[in-house]
Amino acid sequence: MAATVDAPVGTDGTEPLVLVVMGVSGSGKSTLAATVAARLGWEFAEGDDMHPPANVAKMEEGTPLTDEDRWPWLGTIAEWIRSHLADDAPGVVTCSALKRSYRDVLRAPGVVFVHVAGDPALVEQRMSARAGHFMPTSLLASQLATLEPPQPDEAHLTVSAERSPDEESADVVERLGLATGR
């Protein structure tokens, strides 16, 4: 494992089996996660697809989710992660994981958070340009206010949203010392 990770990777020092690509909506999580998964030959899951219909409806109306809204969704993502860890099946999943308490639900040895961080103006531009997504640009401010970036004691690395998905994914693979085409 490369030592250039922003924080320790798992308690046992093993290679990560699950990457949680996190950040505010519009940061490029899904694109980066899909690109990393393809580069590594790992399974990819879109966390937004795991939201209960009530959460999607709330966001479509422009109403920010509460912690109570998020717990069942985080539980579903945590189940996906635990299943992959138990089966020794590597994977990449997206999840905003905005608060440490949310990441605590997802955290386990072998899980690394990849925080996609970018200038709010860039993120807003991306959100405005995409079509067919339930998250309106009006909720970006609430996501930015909620965001608690990963801390030094959390297994994570931060990548810049300002680069291309290929540059970002190459950076993730290199910094984590992962072998492609597993």
Side-chain angles (χ1 to χ4, degrees), residues 7-142:
V9 177
T11 56
D12 58 6
T14 60
E15 181 173 292
L17 281 177
V18 174
L19 303 180
V20 178
V21 181
M22 61 161 288
V24 298
S25 185
S27 62
K29 294 183 302 289
S30 297
T31 302
L32 174 59
T35 305
V36 168
R39 184 179 292 259
L40 293 171
W42 291 10
E43 183 179 348
F44 165 69
E46 174 56 65
D48 281 346
D49 294 342
M50 299 181 201
H51 270 294
N55 283 9
V56 174
K58 219 174 167 177
M59 288 182 280
E60 284 178 329
E61 294 169 358
T63 305
L65 297 180
T66 64
D67 285 352
E68 291 73 30
D69 295 326
R70 287 186 178 98
W71 297 128
W73 170 63
L74 291 165
T76 300
I77 294 172
E79 286 178 30
W80 186 93
I81 290 169
R82 308 262 183 286
S83 171
H84 280 71
L85 292 172
D87 293 342
D88 198 31
V92 182
V93 62
T94 61
C95 177
S96 55
L98 297 175
K99 290 183 179 181
R100 183 185 183 108
S101 61
Y102 305 163
R103 293 188 297 276
D104 288 345
V105 172
L106 308 175
R107 189 179 334 279
V111 174
V112 174
F113 294 92
V114 178
H115 179 206
V116 185
D119 180 83
L122 172 66
V123 174
E124 183 175 9
Q125 176 188 16
R126 287 180 178 174
M127 288 180 79
S128 297
R130 67 184 180 185
H133 196 278
F134 58 79
M135 177 68 87
T137 305
S138 62
L139 290 180
L140 177 59
S142 71

Side-chain angles (χ1 to χ4, degrees), residues 157-159 163 166-176:
L157 59 91
T158 301
V159 296
R163 297 179 298 157
D166 284 336
E167 291 171 320
E168 291 172 6
S169 66
D171 185 34
V172 169
V173 170
E174 179 182 331
R175 288 169 65 193
L176 291 176

